[in-house]
Amino acid sequence: MGELEAMSVSSPRPKLPIVAVALLIALSLSMQAMLVSAQSADGRATFHGNPARTGEQPGPGPEGDPTLAWRFQTGDAVRSSPVMADGVIYVGSNDGSLYALDAETGEERWRFTTDGPISGSAAVAEGAVYLASGDGYAYAVDAETGEERWRFFAAELGVDPARL
């Protein structure tokens, strides 16, 4: 089973840098790293916080001793790195679902299910969450409702569905 935990610290949230929208091709890469995401003023968020994927954030780090704020159980392993935008954490699971979780409480807002594992990190821009699934499709999902906006069969371009 996959599990996502959030830690709470006693410092104010630092301002985050502006980030560019991740290309759908970037979703096909295997991303095996810790949660490091950033959100720009226009609501865009991507893996490791910026197009260079450096994970760098300006400002002071958290202070105090972190404590477990919440825990969320998925139906299988979590191989993707979560991305946070507008107070929502988006994370894919090998159970084929993309989860939208309230960042403060860990409560599930919605779940979008595909026919394959989601092992790459999502990208969020302009009210949509972009993701790729091992079923061979790239998806755009409404960030507020979890409803599918569109899907594209990326495997027909020669992309290995196992790498999506």
Side-chain angles (χ1 to χ4, degrees):
M1 298 289 182
E3 192 167 79
L4 184 67
E5 294 182 347
M7 303 300 280
S8 175
V9 293
S10 62
S11 67
R13 188 171 151 189
K15 290 188 176 184
L16 302 172
I18 295 178
V19 297
V21 178
L23 299 173
L24 286 177
I25 295 171
L27 291 173
S28 68
L29 300 175
S30 175
M31 300 177 193
Q32 305 290 326
M34 299 295 290
L35 167 65
V36 181
S37 66
Q39 183 179 352
S40 68
D42 61 1
R44 296 179 184 186
T46 187
F47 176 75
H48 262 199
N50 60 38
R53 311 287 190 259
T54 64
E56 296 176 31
Q57 296 190 46
E63 295 175 2
D65 294 324
T67 59
L68 182 64
W70 53 262
R71 182 183 307 234
F72 182 82
Q73 188 73 41
T74 67
D76 204 337
V78 173
R79 301 269 188 249
S80 68
S81 296
V83 174
M84 187 170 74
D86 298 321
V88 180
I89 295 174
Y90 302 95
V91 63
S93 172
N94 279 3
D95 66 8
S97 294
L98 175 73
Y99 296 89
L101 309 174
D102 183 279
E104 290 291 321
T105 67
E107 291 182 33
E108 184 177 320
R109 290 190 175 187
W110 52 257
R111 177 186 314 190
F112 178 77
T113 304
T114 71
D115 290 328
I118 301 171
S119 58
S121 298
V124 182
E126 299 177 7
V129 183
Y130 300 92
L131 66 136
S133 170
D135 64 7
Y137 286 91
Y139 295 89
V141 178
D142 186 277
E144 184 68 29
T145 66
E147 296 292 319
E148 182 180 311
R149 288 187 177 179
W150 54 258
R151 76 170 85 180
F152 174 74
F153 190 60
E156 74 182 19
L157 298 175
V159 177
D160 179 4
R163 297 221 5 112
L164 283 177

